Amino acid sequence: GLLARKGILVIDAKSPFDFLQKDTGRLPTDKRLGIDLRLMQHYVSESDWSIKWGCGPQQLADSPTKASANVD
């Protein structure tokens, strides 16, 4: 399965990244986001995966997700 492999999850959303880095016991105000982040914390802690932050321009896959992206 996926969790049996090593990997790095790179996200460009700084606030969720910060939330994932420290367990304060608090959840974001968006309950669904909070559930997703807690699940992500659990899966990462139980695997050889890690989470890294990369600003938007560093994300190679970022431009195909934007209708107005400059792909030059």
Side-chain angles (χ1 to χ4, degrees):
L2 185 61
L3 292 179
R5 300 178 183 184
K6 279 186 154 182
I8 299 173
L9 172 65
V10 180
I11 60 175
D12 65 353
K14 187 71 167 129
S15 181
F17 172 78
D18 290 342
F19 178 85
L20 290 167
Q21 296 306 304
K22 47 189 170 248
D23 189 2
T24 63
R26 297 177 56 210
L27 289 174
T29 55
D30 181 334
K31 290 181 182 179
R32 182 66 215 172
L33 175 61
I35 291 169
D36 290 342
L37 290 173
R38 286 287 187 224
L39 284 170
M40 193 179 300
Q41 280 178 323
H42 171 75
Y43 290 135
V44 168
S45 70
E46 299 291 319
S47 70
D48 284 328
W49 282 75
S50 62
I51 300 173
K52 303 291 182 192
W53 178 76
C55 64
Q58 292 177 329
Q59 294 273 29
L60 298 178
D62 195 42
S63 60
T65 66
K66 310 289 189 290
S68 63
N70 181 2
V71 293
D72 293 336

